[in-house]
Amino acid sequence: MLTKASRPAAPASARHPTRPPHAEDGDRPASCSTCDLRTVCWPRDPASDARIALAAFSRTERKLGRGAAVYREGEAFDSLFMVRQGVFKSVRVSRSGDEKVIAFHVPGEIFGLDAIGEGRHMEDAIALEESAVCVIPYASLVAEITRSPVLQSHMFRVLSAGIARNQGVVLMTEMVDAERRVYGFLSDLSCRYEAIGQPPDRIPVGMTRREIASYLGLSHETVSRILGRAARSGLLAVAPRAIEIRDLEALKRAAEI
Amino acid sequence: MLTKASRPAAPASARHPTRPPHAEDGDRPASCSTCDLRTVCWPRDPASDARIALAAFSRTERKLGRGAAVYREGEAFDSLFMVRQGVFKSVRVSRSGDEKVIAFHVPGEIFGLDAIGEGRHMEDAIALEESAVCVIPYASLVAEITRSPVLQSHMFRVLSAGIARNQGVVLMTEMVDAERRVYGFLSDLSCRYEAIGQPPDRIPVGMTRREIASYLGLSHETVSRILGRAARSGLLAVAPRAIEIRDLEALKRAAEI
DNA sequence: CGGTAGTTTGATGGACCTCAATCGTAGTGG
DNA sequence: CCACTACGATTGAGGTCCATCAAACTACCG
């Protein structure tokens, strides 16, 4: 169920060597006004209120290569992150070096929310491919929220949705058998890509079988077998880097609780 | 894994009969200034700021008997709820009438947070024993938050902690074997009772084995067996209505990932 | 004091994990 | 450009933990 972390298993206390932790990152100014995702990640602007909110941040965009960390467990929290491109995973690494994927983040989604309470990140956030995030300094966000009721209620909704989403994850991974979990996972990903204007039947799978398995609480062999079976039955077309859903309706029906 | 709901399995669409849904409830004014939990559920008042926040609500306390619902799936969201006494469960009921416990709520904890985003409750909240909640009208809370930065940051922390907690649940229920799940569950409950000034070694178990099992994704027989074994080994003392932890340290060690 | 619900305990089977081997693919350096 | 390597994916065989089925026991409530 647990999978060995593929990166060298250094002791947790020494997992952040002296090298700059984000050496490969390149920060540069970001502009929300030209971003394809602006209608997704921030409230639509019924009043000029929200536009002001958007303009008020001095956000930056940070590019990350495959395997690069946005943050690591234990680091102080000071920013939220919005996926602009690529896919990220949130993972917790146990003392024994086993890693458990907590969540995947696709474009338009905000992560790092769980660190607000503690002021400290409780997990690693890792890019699974060539990716980019918008950096949203929390202090600026808070300052802006106090001036913008629209933004305030938006943030409450985002946080609340985070709770609801995790409950859905619990539901999915505890209630049903392995096959339904995999189908439910694909169905969920499909919806999330559709929400940002991507085709819902072609899922770019940036994560490995092992990572999917960890997320779903299965072994990677089981995931592989289930995908293989589904491909043979014509439900899916499985390629190394992407999964095509041949019959989305059937998939969703099969994933029903 | 799924357990039949014990209440009569009416079709989901008809689950809210014409009778007033909370007929057995008694609402009455509540006063935070005399509540034992005031230091738990609201920010400590470093400035007079927070005191104002507390006084500004016209909250009510609602008493509920065993099995009574605070709200049910599908109902419109308009208030948050803080447990004042007793224990509550959040459950989702599937079409087939199976129920899955999403969370337990003990005194001092706020629930209903997941409904902010959708404006609608996605699960039932049920009292497990003679219980009472503080009703916190969301509109008043929002109004108050815009005037109180302390309250605002408190609410963000509470919401964030809700996300973090759910992640912990996922961790617990997916990573480890049945025994660790049960131990982890007891250990978690112990901490939560300790946080509100209750003895950490004596857990009042208002929930049934079946409900614990549903929460942990196990069968109730397995939960029973594990508790029995732990009692025989001297780790716990199991009574029908309470579990006494004989060796808290050993329990926490055994629950470690 | 009967009836219902909860708990406990045993027996059995099955879903999925583990171990192991093979194959495919991507990245690397000569 | 191509071997070489490493990692991921796939497939098979065997074992195990836990769900399921079944039944006895206990507690609670009218």
Side-chain angles (χ1 to χ4, degrees):
Chain A
M1 187 136 350
L2 288 171
T3 57
K4 279 287 172 187
S6 51
R7 66 184 156 82
S13 57
R15 231 192 293 126
H16 309 159
T18 48
R19 69 164 175 84
H22 310 302
E24 47 203 311
D25 307 339
D27 287 17
R28 52 163 208 170
S31 164
C32 279
S33 55
T34 61
C35 177
D36 292 339
L37 295 165
R38 65 188 178 281
T39 57
V40 173
C41 62
W42 293 111
R44 296 163 196 277
D45 37 12
S48 60
D49 190 21
R51 260 198 301 274
I52 293 170
L54 291 182
F57 295 114
S58 60
R59 270 178 301 270
T60 54
E61 182 177 320
R62 179 177 299 169
K63 289 188 171 299
L64 298 105
R66 177 179 168 79
V70 183
Y71 51 75
R72 291 203 181 269
E73 178 188 342
E75 284 182 17
F77 162 77
D78 58 6
S79 297
L80 297 172
F81 300 91
M82 208 279 299
V83 181
R84 186 140 187 189
Q85 181 202 329
V87 186
F88 293 82
K89 64 174 176 181
S90 290
V91 295
R92 291 209 193 184
V93 182
S94 72
R95 256 170 313 292
S96 49
D98 300 321
E99 84 171 26
K100 159 76 186 158
V101 176
I102 300 290
F104 294 109
H105 313 288
V106 304
E109 296 179 351
I110 294 177
F111 63 92
L113 296 168
D114 54 305
I116 294 173
E118 284 289 328
R120 191 161 291 284
H121 290 288
M122 298 306 290
E123 84 277 319
D124 298 357
I126 311 286
L128 295 181
E129 53 191 70
E130 291 301 312
S131 303
V133 289
C134 286
V135 182
I136 306 167
Y138 186 62
S140 326
L141 183 66
V142 166
E144 196 57 37
I145 285 170
T146 57
R147 272 177 292 158
S148 163
V150 171
L151 193 58
Q152 173 181 299
S153 73
H154 181 70
M155 283 310 297
F156 277 123
R157 275 200 302 276
V158 167
L159 281 158
S160 169
I163 295 177
R165 160 163 292 283
N166 278 351
Q167 287 183 359
V169 172
V170 173
L171 266 188
M172 188 167 73
T173 54
E174 281 182 25
M175 282 217 308
V176 298
D177 55 30
E179 194 167 88
R180 279 166 203 256
R181 283 190 229 181
V182 175
Y183 291 172
F185 169 71
L186 292 175
S187 167
D188 177 49
L189 262 190
S190 166
C191 290
R192 286 154 74 184
Y193 275 110
E194 189 175 24
I196 54 170
Q198 301 291 325
D201 58 345
R202 181 156 187 80
I203 302 176
V205 187
M207 57 289 269
T208 66
R209 301 285 186 272
R210 195 177 290 273
E211 284 161 341
I212 296 173
S214 170
Y215 176 66
L216 295 176
L218 300 170
S219 72
H220 71 276
E221 294 97 329
T222 298
V223 172
S224 182
R225 269 185 260 265
I226 288 169
L227 289 178
R229 243 180 289 152
R232 249 166 276 132
S233 78
L235 191 59
L236 307 173
V238 178
R241 281 262 170 266
I243 291 178
E244 189 181 337
I245 301 176
R246 284 287 167 76
D247 190 343
L248 187 54
E249 283 315 307
L251 186 77
K252 296 200 174 183
R253 242 180 296 118
E256 293 265 316
I257 296 167
Chain B
M1 189 143 338
L2 286 172
T3 58
K4 278 290 173 188
S6 52
R7 65 186 158 83
S13 58
R15 233 190 292 125
H16 309 163
T18 48
R19 71 164 173 84
H22 311 301
E24 47 201 313
D25 306 342
D27 287 17
R28 54 164 204 169
S31 164
C32 278
S33 55
T34 62
C35 177
D36 292 339
L37 296 165
R38 66 186 178 283
T39 58
V40 173
C41 62
W42 292 111
R44 296 163 195 277
D45 36 11
S48 60
D49 190 20
R51 260 198 302 274
I52 293 171
L54 292 180
F57 295 115
S58 60
R59 268 180 302 271
T60 54
E61 182 177 320
R62 179 176 300 168
K63 289 188 171 298
L64 298 105
R66 177 180 168 77
V70 183
Y71 52 76
R72 291 204 180 271
E73 178 189 342
E75 284 182 16
F77 163 77
D78 56 8
S79 297
L80 297 173
F81 301 92
M82 208 280 299
V83 182
R84 187 141 187 189
Q85 181 201 329
V87 187
F88 293 82
K89 65 175 176 182
S90 290
V91 295
R92 292 211 193 183
V93 182
S94 73
R95 256 169 315 292
S96 49
D98 301 322
E99 84 171 25
K100 159 76 187 156
V101 176
I102 299 290
F104 294 109
H105 313 288
V106 303
E109 296 179 351
I110 293 177
F111 64 91
L113 295 168
D114 54 305
I116 295 174
E118 283 290 328
R120 191 161 292 283
H121 292 287
M122 298 307 290
E123 83 277 318
D124 298 358
I126 312 286
L128 296 181
E129 53 191 71
E130 292 301 313
S131 303
V133 288
C134 286
V135 181
I136 305 168
Y138 186 62
S140 327
L141 183 66
V142 166
E144 195 56 36
I145 284 170
T146 57
R147 272 177 292 157
S148 163
V150 172
L151 192 58
Q152 173 180 300
S153 72
H154 182 69
M155 282 311 297
F156 276 121
R157 274 199 304 275
V158 167
L159 281 159
S160 170
I163 295 177
R165 160 162 293 282
N166 278 351
Q167 285 184 0
V169 172
V170 173
L171 265 188
M172 189 167 72
T173 53
E174 282 182 24
M175 282 218 306
V176 297
D177 55 31
E179 195 166 87
R180 281 166 202 257
R181 282 189 229 183
V182 175
Y183 291 172
F185 170 70
L186 292 175
S187 165
D188 178 50
L189 262 190
S190 167
C191 290
R192 286 155 73 183
Y193 275 110
E194 189 175 23
I196 54 170
Q198 302 290 326
D201 58 346
R202 181 154 187 84
I203 302 176
V205 186
M207 56 289 268
T208 66
R209 303 284 186 271
R210 195 176 291 275
E211 284 161 341
I212 295 173
S214 169
Y215 176 66
L216 295 176
L218 300 170
S219 71
H220 70 278
E221 295 98 326
T222 298
V223 172
S224 182
R225 268 185 261 267
I226 288 169
L227 289 178
R229 243 180 289 152
R232 249 167 275 131
S233 78
L235 191 60
L236 308 172
V238 178
R241 281 262 170 268
I243 291 178
E244 189 181 336
I245 301 176
R246 284 287 166 77
D247 190 343
L248 187 54
E249 283 314 306
L251 185 77
K252 296 200 174 181
R253 242 179 297 119
E256 293 265 315
I257 297 163

